[in-house]
Amino acid sequence: MEAEVPAASLKTFYRALQCLGSIGEDIWIEARTDHLELIGKNASQSAYARIVFPAEFFDAYDSGESDNAVFRCRVQAKQLVGIFRSRTQAVEQCVLSIEQAAEPVHINSSATQSECRLVVRLAYKQRVCRTHRLFYEACETFHSTYDRRDCKGRWRVAAAHAASWVAHFARGSEEMTLQMTSSVVRVRSWTAGNVAQPDATRALHTELSVDPADFDMYHVPHPVELALALREFRAVLRYAERMAAPLSAFFDRPGWPLLLEVAAPPNPDARDHRQAPPTAEFVLATVADETTPAPSSNNATPASRAPTQILAVPDSIEPGSAPSPDASPYAHSRSSFAQWSPGNRSDSLLATPASARRANTATADSIAGSLPNSLGGPASQPVPESRVPTARAYRLLDMPRPYAPPGLTDTQLSDEHAAADELRNAPPGMVQTTLPFPTTAAQRPQGDMPVANADYSSDEELDATPPPPSKRMRALF
Amino acid sequence: MAAVRGTAPEPEPALFRAKLANVRPMVNMLKTISFRPRARCVINPDGLVFTVEESQCLVAQAYLRAELFTTFSYDVQLAEYYRNQEQAGFEAEDSQDGEPSDVTQVVLPLDNLIECLTLFYGPSGTSSSGAQSGAHSTATLHTSGNPGDLRGATTAVIAFNGPGTDFELMLEERGTISLCRLSTFVPEPSVDLKFSHYPTTQQLIIKSEWLRDAFNELDPTSESVSIYIASSEPHFRISTIGESGSTDMTYSNTERILDSFFCNEDQENQYKLSLILKCKQALAMSDKTKIRINQRGFLSFQFMIPTAADVSFVNFVFAPLVSADESIADATARV
């Protein structure tokens, strides 16, 4: 595979890499005969991104494979993004190519192992050249099975406008909801809250109302509310803003993923004379509504398969990228704020604190009930009988339990004391694993050593950091 | 500084005394080599040389010529007198072997010295406007009658009276005077990597901004950086091999990048990356860098730093890494 990125489009290429880098840790590269795809997904497999560069985007593009053959590989996002981050103004030529064990690279008069490398070669003015050879891993890629034609609701908006929605959200916000009706769009931030703060009313929430008239195109046949993770949505918005391209969204109902597309229209200006800007599509998982049946591994109906498994792999077996339906964090958690009956707007900003607190006890349960109650989780308020029991806590117990709690090594497993059933069945976090070496606490004499040797203070002195410079200064005067 | 001298105690005939109109050049130079707590300061009639050494593989020197100072007085006879006294006391140990007797060597705490010099710097690290320190100072207040004082700049008088005495600094800014005494230490045998003892086989002068870019690109996960200079293309290459792959920067022999280029033999040498990165500060301040490699593979960076309408030099010498295959005997046989 060999692709030459035009110097003027290096910024575009960098922005695409940056977007994928902010979504996940790895970038998958798929080189087809007529385009180059960069694919990313996040760690919890709830966000998927795919940016396609048509062959005309490049000064020279050769996928190196015959028709219908595809070159696929995976590289670390951090390295690739870091290469393009600095000083791209002075670059005259940038070539990406794959070196496949052709000739070994000689460094220090000893041939390094002729490994497969992704070579990024940047040629600057005055014949200064920078070459990076990155390790890559040949692997399978994956694609989203969702089609925007299946989605009933859609809209398109200018990127700058959309970016202003989330610009004011507080830093701690983790989730957001998009409530779309025919007359208004409400964007709201949510903080999941943590165990130490079950009282979610202390966090700052922001709600924004947008007029559908601001959208370039707005078609929402019936009201829908989607809850999704803010981090990936922000990454998409940032990308759209930097590309100055409109953002299109396609959605159906809660639980179904939100499809986003950022595609700049061909620009007749001379800046990108190729007139072939990249197209980007993103799939973000949304939280399933209480009313829709929770997909579980038992129901193999198509409706349940789709919302939880947003990634489908062409090959039959793919251990890494196809998650079990239970593992997706959004598949099971109930949207506690999905009760949108007007009389019960417990989360409205207009509600008094007392009424909000009353309604929010149930919210706090589901948000903060991440520890099973049996293990002494936060003293949760009694759940009103009318509501469905807290879904997150309930489902956690059902999660496929690893064979051994995390932290136990194979050697420890084989030990007799580690074979205790209580260790095996304990949920994560409950077990104090034994360290393979004796700790200082164990080394303390049990009373038989003479007192003179028990000088523990010297150890602390060795560990003490030298006093800060300002303290040293005082001694001078 | 006549007004000051009237009230401050008259100093004894000093071995060394110098006055600086503005401490900033000296502070900048010292900061380039400030990665070690102590520095050896060599005073000779031409100026001061501060040397730091790290793990016997890296020696860095900052040269402050006498012309940088407003006044520079160094009593050579007194130095020789002190030197002879010292030698007699030590029974002529070879610690000062080969050193001309008119230089004075003393080891100073470098980070304390920099802190004292930057006493009047504000929280941003730059020279304070002076108003704040002037209003709240507890030291003796004097109206500064010196017309040479730059607005908000610190002037300093540094003095040293011989081995065993303290190194004195008197700083003055906008009427606030501060007197600092730094305890000195007896110099230990110096590490001399003897760069000049072997012929230089490769030399080039490169604009520092290109070298800065190269250093920013070096992979920090790599243990060593390799420098390869050849008489054929590519003339100059810096490369690292890290966890994610290899990175190299190549430069050709064009006048814009390489001001001068001289290569007697093609050589590739490896140096410890963590040591090479210690000269980042010096590189950041310099305009040009002269890179020299001698026959033994030792690398010398000489940074040309503009100071006060003139230039000063900071010199770094690195010892090469000997590869595991090549034994030490082979490496020395290469000489």
Side-chain angles (χ1 to χ4, degrees):
Chain A
M1 189 271 290
E2 180 159 332
E4 184 178 331
V5 182
S9 317
L10 269 179
K11 253 312 196 216
T12 312
F13 198 69
Y14 169 59
R15 286 187 197 119
L17 289 176
Q18 201 184 23
C19 174
L20 292 172
S22 61
I23 288 182
E25 275 195 10
D26 291 324
I27 294 181
W28 279 259
I29 300 178
E30 195 171 297
R32 296 178 178 267
T33 34
D34 57 349
H35 63 259
L36 179 75
E37 289 179 23
L38 300 175
I39 301 170
K41 68 175 163 83
N42 72 349
S44 53
Q45 319 231 15
S46 59
Y48 162 88
R50 175 167 168 260
I51 304 185
V52 177
F53 292 89
E56 294 77 30
F57 175 81
F58 301 100
D59 275 343
Y61 179 72
D62 174 25
S63 76
E65 309 265 345
S66 54
D67 283 340
N68 302 332
V70 182
F71 172 76
R72 298 188 176 100
C73 72
R74 167 174 78 169
V75 291
Q76 283 207 322
K78 205 169 60 160
Q79 316 297 339
L80 199 52
V81 173
I83 292 174
F84 288 91
R85 180 174 298 142
S86 50
R87 267 192 75 106
T88 48
Q89 298 93 327
V91 176
E92 281 188 338
Q93 188 199 44
C94 166
V95 179
L96 278 88
S97 58
I98 297 287
E99 228 171 53
Q100 269 179 349
E103 67 280 339
V105 177
H106 283 268
I107 289 190
N108 195 25
S109 325
S110 63
T112 60
Q113 288 176 356
S114 48
E115 306 198 12
C116 304
R117 306 291 177 94
L118 169 68
V119 180
V120 180
R121 196 169 151 266
L122 298 157
Y124 293 85
K125 307 191 173 100
Q126 281 113 37
R127 288 153 69 197
V128 175
C129 178
R130 199 170 95 196
T131 312
H132 294 263
R133 292 188 169 78
L134 300 178
F135 293 122
Y136 70 82
E137 216 177 287
C139 59
E140 290 301 328
T141 54
F142 42 87
H143 291 277
S144 158
T145 52
Y146 294 103
D147 195 351
R148 59 178 175 162
R149 290 174 292 230
D150 294 339
C151 297
K152 302 203 182 58
R154 64 186 77 99
W155 45 256
R156 187 172 69 233
V157 73
H161 193 66
S164 66
W165 301 345
V166 298
H168 301 292
F169 284 178
R171 281 200 72 86
S173 319
E174 290 168 14
E175 294 181 4
M176 57 173 281
T177 51
L178 279 170
Q179 190 209 5
M180 290 163 283
T181 65
S182 49
S183 57
V184 73
V185 172
R186 283 205 185 87
V187 186
R188 172 150 190 190
S189 76
W190 289 89
T191 315
N194 45 17
V195 172
Q197 273 189 333
D199 184 9
T201 53
R202 307 276 304 268
L204 174 67
H205 295 148
T206 312
E207 183 176 312
L208 209 69
S209 296
V210 186
D211 189 0
D214 292 339
F215 288 69
D216 293 344
M217 185 263 292
Y218 189 81
H219 172 71
V220 177
H222 52 84
V224 75
E225 188 207 353
L226 301 172
L228 41 124
L230 184 58
R231 185 172 164 263
E232 284 82 19
F233 191 68
R234 255 206 182 119
V236 175
L237 283 184
R238 228 180 291 136
Y239 174 70
E241 199 183 8
R242 289 196 183 123
M243 296 291 291
L247 176 71
S248 312
F250 305 90
F251 48 89
D252 196 5
R253 68 184 91 116
W256 279 78
L258 171 68
L259 273 69
L260 295 162
E261 279 189 19
V262 178
N267 185 0
D269 295 347
R271 265 205 71 195
D272 187 14
H273 62 286
R274 293 289 148 186
Q275 296 198 18
T279 56
E281 66 178 43
F282 304 90
V283 180
L284 302 180
T286 62
V287 177
D289 197 12
E290 282 194 21
T291 54
T292 61
S296 67
S297 51
N298 300 328
N299 309 345
T301 62
S304 65
R305 172 192 66 85
T308 59
Q309 196 167 331
I310 64 173
L311 305 169
V313 179
D315 295 340
S316 52
I317 297 176
E318 178 49 60
S321 58
S324 66
D326 287 324
S328 167
Y330 289 108
H332 296 291
S333 59
R334 306 293 194 186
S335 163
S336 54
F337 36 76
Q339 307 285 351
W340 272 106
S341 53
N344 189 18
R345 286 284 306 280
S346 59
D347 52 341
S348 164
L349 291 176
L350 301 174
T352 61
S355 62
R357 193 162 300 128
R358 228 182 310 119
N360 272 335
T361 52
T363 308
D365 274 342
S366 64
I367 286 175
S370 51
L371 276 186
N373 287 333
S374 60
L375 290 180
S380 39
Q381 324 274 344
V383 177
E385 284 307 308
S386 56
R387 291 179 60 90
V388 179
T390 61
R392 236 179 249 188
Y394 156 70
R395 288 293 179 186
L396 196 62
L397 291 171
D398 272 1
M399 260 177 58
R401 196 70 49 73
Y403 177 64
L408 277 188
T409 59
D410 287 337
T411 52
Q412 285 175 327
L413 270 182
S414 57
D415 284 355
E416 291 171 18
H417 73 278
D421 272 335
E422 72 212 24
L423 277 169
R424 289 243 178 83
N425 293 333
M430 263 302 283
V431 178
Q432 284 283 348
T433 56
T434 59
L435 297 169
F437 48 84
T439 59
T440 49
Q443 273 173 347
R444 290 272 161 85
Q446 304 301 331
D448 13 300
M449 289 204 39
V451 179
N453 284 353
D455 185 20
Y456 304 125
S457 60
S458 58
D459 282 332
E460 279 118 30
E461 275 169 22
L462 283 174
D463 290 334
T465 54
S470 56
K471 295 218 172 107
R472 284 208 294 261
M473 279 294 289
R474 289 204 203 103
L476 286 175
F477 301 104
Chain B
M1 297 288 272
V4 171
R5 206 170 272 148
T7 49
E10 185 69 33
E12 313 164 350
L15 168 66
F16 162 67
R17 187 180 175 80
K19 182 180 162 192
L20 263 182
N22 191 349
V23 293
R24 202 194 294 268
M26 183 167 173
V27 169
N28 288 345
M29 296 290 285
L30 290 179
K31 277 188 171 165
T32 62
I33 57 170
S34 64
F35 48 85
R36 298 289 293 169
R38 292 192 189 167
R40 169 197 297 264
C41 173
V42 174
I43 312 171
N44 59 34
D46 296 327
L48 301 177
V49 182
F50 286 86
T51 310
V52 301
E53 172 268 323
E54 167 133 15
S55 50
Q56 310 215 332
C57 293
L58 157 61
V59 170
Q61 290 175 314
Y63 294 85
L64 296 160
R65 290 168 304 124
E67 288 79 25
L68 263 185
F69 298 87
T70 318
T71 66
F72 189 96
S73 76
Y74 178 58
D75 193 340
V76 181
Q77 280 102 6
L78 202 51
E80 285 180 358
Y81 170 69
Y82 283 138
R83 187 60 158 291
N84 295 334
Q85 277 195 327
E86 225 177 274
Q87 297 283 17
F90 285 133
E91 297 174 353
E93 271 182 31
D94 59 348
S95 59
Q96 314 294 341
D97 211 21
E99 300 279 357
S101 60
D102 62 344
V103 301
T104 303
Q105 301 205 30
V106 64
V107 172
L108 299 173
L110 185 61
D111 41 5
N112 288 347
L113 175 62
I114 294 179
E115 274 178 48
C116 292
L117 288 172
T118 57
L119 202 60
F120 293 111
Y121 279 31
S124 60
T126 58
S127 238
S128 74
S129 62
Q132 205 174 1
S133 51
H136 302 289
S137 75
T138 53
T140 322
L141 273 176
H142 268 277
T143 55
S144 162
N146 193 339
D149 262 331
L150 300 175
R151 199 171 172 79
T154 317
T155 61
V157 176
I158 55 182
F160 182 57
N161 273 335
T165 61
D166 290 338
F167 196 87
E168 291 173 15
L169 292 179
M170 183 158 66
L171 303 163
E172 189 262 336
E173 165 150 357
R174 289 273 206 107
T176 309
I177 295 178
S178 140
L179 179 65
C180 314
R181 286 179 194 280
L182 299 169
S183 32
T184 57
F185 306 91
V186 174
E188 293 172 355
S190 64
V191 170
D192 183 10
L193 297 183
K194 295 190 170 55
F195 183 81
S196 317
H197 286 216
Y198 294 89
T200 304
T201 52
Q202 301 164 327
Q203 171 176 310
L204 58 91
I205 299 185
I206 185 172
K207 282 209 175 59
S208 292
E209 55 171 315
W210 291 103
L211 209 55
R212 271 196 286 271
D213 291 340
F215 274 40
N216 286 338
E217 292 304 320
L218 294 180
D219 192 349
T221 61
S222 159
E223 269 264 337
S224 69
V225 56
S226 148
I227 295 186
Y228 171 68
I229 303 183
S231 38
S232 55
E233 291 276 346
H235 291 107
F236 175 41
R237 182 176 74 207
I238 303 178
S239 43
T240 53
I241 302 184
E243 284 172 14
S244 57
S246 71
T247 304
D248 53 57
M249 261 86 40
T250 57
Y251 301 89
S252 286
N253 188 5
T254 53
E255 308 85 45
R256 299 275 200 89
I257 313 291
L258 302 181
D259 278 0
S260 89
F261 184 82
F262 162 76
C263 180
N264 221 0
E265 72 184 60
D266 299 357
Q267 239 187 54
E268 175 154 21
N269 293 293
Q270 316 245 313
Y271 305 95
K272 196 147 188 275
L273 182 61
S274 53
L275 293 182
I276 296 270
L277 288 179
K278 304 251 183 206
C279 60
K280 254 190 159 169
Q281 180 85 4
L283 184 62
M285 294 201 202
S286 71
D287 284 343
K288 287 192 185 169
T289 310
K290 182 197 280 193
I291 303 179
R292 289 180 297 162
I293 301 188
N294 72 6
Q295 203 174 33
R296 263 175 97 205
F298 281 65
L299 168 70
S300 153
F301 281 144
Q302 199 175 71
F303 299 102
M304 188 172 83
I305 298 179
T307 43
D310 205 347
V311 288
S312 303
F313 292 95
V314 178
N315 204 11
F316 281 72
V317 179
F318 301 91
L321 286 179
V322 177
S323 71
D325 323 331
E326 206 182 349
S327 69
I328 311 275
D330 290 343
T332 48
R334 240 203 305 167
V335 172

